[in-house]
């Protein structure tokens, strides 16, 4: 048969299940057995459809950024810099404290919890995060409503530091309401007292 047998599983559903496992356990904390069990496939099928664990994780990161993490790209379309920053910070709270998703952020976990053997995975995640920060900087450079003297690059770095901190605190067990209060305070400090 040319091209081999057709797949007997839903690749998109399997990828979603892999995303959930990686999000909950991190890259290094997830074994191939964890993945095959969650995805409902055997190792040869995993390799044939997704490549090795590192390649699968790259596809999972894409799916995460296009799915649960898509609020970040959407936020850049807001009409004012104030709304961009609000949507990013408040969106981070919602993403990382979801009722039906693992706590924390898959991208932040993969940057902070990879050892030397997983350096390529960490570098990929770092590169994606840098690209997100650069996109925010470019959006802020186009803004006409930044406070006088505000540096778009520094502000983009600060916003990413805040959202990363929210993700770390959520993974550590802080609740949505508590993190929402932290986010509101951070937004007042960043944007002034007329926030929202």
């Amino acid at each position: 048969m040319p091209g081999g047998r057709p797949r007997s599983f839903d690749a998109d559903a399997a990828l979603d299940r892999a995303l959930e496992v990686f999000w909950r356990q991190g890259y290094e904390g997830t074994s191939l057995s964890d993945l095959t069990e969650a995805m409902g496939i055997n190792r040869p099928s995993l390799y044939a459809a997704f490549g090795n664990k590192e390649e699968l994780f790259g596809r999972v990161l894409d799916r995460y950024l296009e799915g649960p993490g898509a609020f970040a790209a959407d936020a850049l379309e807001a009409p004012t810099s104030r709304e961009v920053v609000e949507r990013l910070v408040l969106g981070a709270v919602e993403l990382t404290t979801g009722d039906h998703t693992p706590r924390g952020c898959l991208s932040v976990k993969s940057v902070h919890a990879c050892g030397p053997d997983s350096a390529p995975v960490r570098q990929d995640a770092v590169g994606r995060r840098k690209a997100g920060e650069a996109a925010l900087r470019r959006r802020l450079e186009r803004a006409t409503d930044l406070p006088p003297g505000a540096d778009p690059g520094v502000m983009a770095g600060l916003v990413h530091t805040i959202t990363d901190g929210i993700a770390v605190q959520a993974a550590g067990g802080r609740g949505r309401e508590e993190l929402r209060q932290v986010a509101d305070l951070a937004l007042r400090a960043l944007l002034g007292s007329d926030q929202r």
Side-chain angles (χ1 to χ4, degrees):
M1 241 167 55
R5 286 191 343 214
R7 286 190 188 131
S8 60
F9 66 93
D10 180 336
D12 287 333
L15 200 52
D16 286 338
R17 290 191 290 273
L19 188 159
E20 186 175 337
V21 174
F22 278 127
W23 193 350
R24 187 179 321 105
Q25 298 176 193
Y27 179 80
E28 288 197 345
T30 299
S31 68
L32 284 173
S33 296
D34 294 332
L35 291 166
T36 56
E37 182 179 337
M39 297 167 80
I41 59 176
N42 59 30
R43 285 187 189 202
S45 294
L46 185 150
Y47 292 132
F50 304 107
N52 62 22
K53 180 182 170 185
E54 183 180 320
E55 292 167 321
L56 172 61
F57 188 73
R59 292 195 47 192
V60 162
L61 273 180
D62 289 339
R63 196 156 186 95
Y64 178 77
L65 294 174
E66 294 164 3
F71 77 92
D74 293 343
L76 299 180
E77 302 301 319
T80 67
S81 64
R82 174 177 294 276
E83 289 175 84
V84 169
V85 172
E86 286 176 354
R87 289 181 188 184
L88 286 169
V89 172
L90 298 175
V93 173
E94 294 307 309
L95 173 70
T96 62
T97 61
D99 293 330
H100 304 291
T101 58
R103 303 291 298 227
C105 170
L106 172 64
S107 179
V108 171
K109 284 181 182 179
S110 60
V111 167
H112 296 291
C114 282
D117 291 342
S118 302
V121 169
R122 183 179 187 283
Q123 289 167 352
D124 181 29
V126 166
R128 292 168 191 256
R129 297 184 59 69
K130 284 182 178 179
E133 186 174 325
L136 175 58
R137 177 187 44 77
R138 288 190 302 273
R139 172 61 184 88
L140 294 176
E141 286 171 347
R142 294 191 314 270
T144 58
D145 64 328
L146 283 181
D151 181 310
V154 172
M155 190 163 194
L158 180 56
V159 170
H160 270 251
T161 299
I162 291 167
T163 58
D164 283 2
I166 287 169
V168 170
Q169 292 296 312
R174 293 226 182 198
R176 178 179 291 149
E177 288 310 310
E178 188 176 2
L179 287 174
R180 182 67 187 248
Q181 290 173 1
V182 169
D184 286 343
L185 180 60
L187 288 169
R188 282 196 300 276
L190 267 173
L191 303 173
S193 59
D194 61 336
Q195 181 258 327
R196 288 190 303 155

